[in-house]
Amino acid sequence: MRKKNRETPEVNGSSTADIAFLLLIFFLMVTTIESNEGIPRKLPPLPENPDEIIESKLHKRNVFEIRVNSSDQLLVEGEYASVADLRRLTKEFILNYRRNPNLSDDPQVAVVSIKNDRGTSYKTYIGIQNELAAAYNEIRDSEARARFGNVMDEITEDQQNEVKDKFPMKVSEAEPENIGGSK
Amino acid sequence: MNGRFDRKQGKKAPGISTASLPDIVFMLLFFFMVATVMRDSEALVQTNIPKASELTKLEKKEWVATINIGPPVPSYQAIKGTAPVLQFNDKFGTVDEVVEFVENERLQREPRIRPYISYALKVDKDVKMGIVSDVKQELRRANALKLTYLATAGTEDYR
């Protein structure tokens, strides 16, 4: 007579490690920890009339001009600068409020204009885009903190839009046709 | 006296228990399973993307079409040279084919999400802007205006 509540024999678990290793190695092989982050930008639609240049309507002081040559050298508002200076210069330009006659009247009308050469490296171009984004993000963050007591990421969408409307990011890029090799 | 400390000299040391090994391996396994993005196409061009700090995560992956720009990988340099070229999905392309690529990407997706497709530019950081500007211009011609310059977190070194 056998006992009624005899224990069932345990399943041998020594091979789970092997199975898991196999799967692990498979995933190690197929893994590419892919970057899915980046700097989002909107391209302007093609102008219907190629002769129409929007910038000509703007007052010169409200345009923050960045030129980059094929040796990745920057000319910001006519003066030599480096990518590292760009954030500070952009913030000065946006938050000028009519103080300096060469810088913007108001953040509402301030426009950043980038002209790059075909020989400019992509790294420098992204550096510029990144610094401009950083300048605007810092301005918006401090505005959000002053008005809503928190940084942009922590406030509601309506509040975010309010801040964005106050400091709209207007970046204009020259039509590639305009960048000649001369000069 | 049969104390617990006076053991026989010749007794073997107990083997290290491997009972926790599966747990450790499973932990690693789960990490890689979660972190994995299945490689959907073979890389034909080298794209060492730049570093940037102001990054935004891309929205739904199905809404993103990627254009790679960079020098061909070494195995293709014999036939393609080392000048930067374009790669759409799993084949080489030229700037003239961008409009066609955009149309294809639109057709492949449900009409509902077509307006939301965004184009990710995965560009090697040493590529010159000439080819990138050309691609941007073609995207404008195709009325594909939402784009993202892919970058990784970090800071680049500018002189």
Side-chain angles (χ1 to χ4, degrees), chain A residues 68-129:
Chain A
V68 202
N69 72 2
S70 55
S71 319
D72 294 342
Q73 291 164 321
L74 265 71
L75 204 60
V76 177
E77 292 279 79
E79 279 173 44
Y80 182 79
S82 82
V83 175
D85 303 326
L86 202 55
R87 192 182 301 200
R88 178 178 54 80
L89 291 171
T90 313
K91 283 174 79 174
E92 273 174 24
F93 164 76
I94 302 163
L95 299 174
N96 182 51
Y97 295 110
R98 293 172 195 270
R99 281 194 289 269
N100 182 334
N102 296 321
L103 301 177
S104 77
D105 284 324
D106 191 275
Q108 288 289 326
V109 291
V111 173
V112 179
S113 152
I114 307 173
K115 271 184 194 173
N116 62 273
D117 192 89
R118 290 184 67 85
T120 304
S121 79
Y122 183 69
K123 178 183 146 186
T124 306
Y125 178 77
I126 288 301
I128 293 168
Q129 292 281 10

Side-chain angles (χ1 to χ4, degrees), chain A:
Chain A
M1 274 280 263
R2 292 187 176 178
K3 271 193 224 157
K4 262 190 178 166
N5 53 354
R6 189 177 149 185
E7 279 177 32
T8 48
E10 266 181 53
V11 177
N12 186 353
S14 61
S15 58
T16 31
D18 302 359
I19 296 163
F21 259 122
L22 213 77
L23 285 167
L24 175 63
I25 290 164
F26 168 72
F27 277 101
L28 270 171
M29 302 278 275
V30 299
T31 289
T32 43
I33 300 182
E34 223 168 287
S35 158
N36 52 357
E37 290 178 315
I39 303 173
R41 282 285 171 274
K42 271 235 147 93
L43 291 172
L46 277 187
E48 280 159 35
N49 174 8
D51 299 325
E52 183 193 352
I53 298 166
I54 305 155
E55 259 165 66
S56 58
K57 292 181 208 153
L58 296 168
H59 200 290
K60 196 177 171 297
R61 71 181 285 181
N62 289 324
V63 181
F64 187 64
E65 201 180 24
I66 304 169
R67 282 163 173 267
V68 202
N69 72 2
S70 55
S71 319
D72 294 342
Q73 291 164 321
L74 265 71
L75 204 60
V76 177
E77 292 279 79
E79 279 173 44
Y80 182 79
S82 82
V83 175
D85 303 326
L86 202 55
R87 192 182 301 200
R88 178 178 54 80
L89 291 171
T90 313
K91 283 174 79 174
E92 273 174 24
F93 164 76
I94 302 163
L95 299 174
N96 182 51
Y97 295 110
R98 293 172 195 270
R99 281 194 289 269
N100 182 334
N102 296 321
L103 301 177
S104 77
D105 284 324
D106 191 275
Q108 288 289 326
V109 291
V111 173
V112 179
S113 152
I114 307 173
K115 271 184 194 173
N116 62 273
D117 192 89
R118 290 184 67 85
T120 304
S121 79
Y122 183 69
K123 178 183 146 186
T124 306
Y125 178 77
I126 288 301
I128 293 168
Q129 292 281 10
N130 187 53
E131 290 306 302
L132 292 180
Y136 272 95
N137 286 346
E138 283 180 11
I139 290 170
R140 287 172 179 175
D141 268 345
S142 61
E143 171 75 9
R145 222 176 276 124
R147 278 178 58 185
F148 304 111
N150 220 331
V151 292
M152 285 292 275
D153 289 344
E154 304 292 326
I155 58 179
T156 65
E157 212 177 315
D158 286 341
Q159 291 172 332
Q160 282 183 14
N161 287 336
E162 214 173 298
V163 176
K164 281 181 188 168
D165 284 345
K166 191 165 180 207
F167 296 101
M169 185 169 180
K170 296 179 193 163
V171 177
S172 120
E173 292 184 46
E175 296 286 331
E177 292 86 48
N178 296 347
I179 14 170
S182 60
K183 209 202 163 209

Side-chain angles (χ1 to χ4, degrees), chain A residues 16-17 20-21 23-24 27-47 71-72 82-83 87 116-127 129-130 133-134 137 173 175-177, chain B residues 21-22 25-26 28-29 32-33 35-39 49-50 52-58 121-125 127-134 136-137 139-141 144-152 156-159:
Chain A
T16 31
F21 259 122
L23 285 167
L24 175 63
F27 277 101
L28 270 171
M29 302 278 275
V30 299
T31 289
T32 43
I33 300 182
E34 223 168 287
S35 158
N36 52 357
E37 290 178 315
I39 303 173
R41 282 285 171 274
K42 271 235 147 93
L43 291 172
L46 277 187
S71 319
D72 294 342
S82 82
V83 175
R87 192 182 301 200
N116 62 273
D117 192 89
R118 290 184 67 85
T120 304
S121 79
Y122 183 69
K123 178 183 146 186
T124 306
Y125 178 77
I126 288 301
Q129 292 281 10
N130 187 53
N137 286 346
E173 292 184 46
E175 296 286 331
E177 292 86 48
Chain B
L21 185 67
V25 175
F26 265 117
L28 285 168
L29 175 64
F32 279 100
M33 278 176 69
T36 287
V37 183
M38 286 286 176
R39 199 178 286 173
I49 55 178
S53 58
E54 312 298 311
L55 298 175
T56 309
K57 238 181 155 52
L58 284 178
L121 287 187
K122 195 176 180 192
V123 185
D124 190 280
K125 62 182 170 190
V127 163
K128 301 291 178 205
M129 278 308 287
I131 187 167
V132 183
S133 299
D134 291 345
K136 276 162 69 184
Q137 203 61 9
L139 285 174
R140 287 173 71 189
R141 287 214 305 133
L145 303 178
K146 260 178 99 176
L147 92 168
T148 303
Y149 304 107
L150 291 186
T152 50
E156 278 298 346
D157 189 28
Y158 303 98
R159 285 154 290 141

Side-chain angles (χ1 to χ4, degrees), chain B residues 79-153:
Chain B
I79 44 170
K80 284 283 179 180
T82 53
V85 288
L86 270 63
Q87 181 194 344
F88 311 123
N89 297 329
D90 50 359
K91 61 181 201 305
F92 286 109
T94 61
V95 173
D96 305 328
E97 286 162 8
V98 170
V99 177
E100 194 187 323
F101 167 74
V102 169
E103 292 300 326
N104 278 339
E105 290 295 320
R106 285 192 181 132
L107 289 176
Q108 273 171 27
R109 288 171 171 78
E110 289 170 51
R112 182 173 59 82
I113 66 172
R114 279 179 202 165
Y116 305 110
I117 304 175
S118 80
Y119 294 82
L121 287 187
K122 195 176 180 192
V123 185
D124 190 280
K125 62 182 170 190
D126 295 321
V127 163
K128 301 291 178 205
M129 278 308 287
I131 187 167
V132 183
S133 299
D134 291 345
V135 170
K136 276 162 69 184
Q137 203 61 9
E138 289 299 308
L139 285 174
R140 287 173 71 189
R141 287 214 305 133
N143 207 26
L145 303 178
K146 260 178 99 176
L147 92 168
T148 303
Y149 304 107
L150 291 186
T152 50

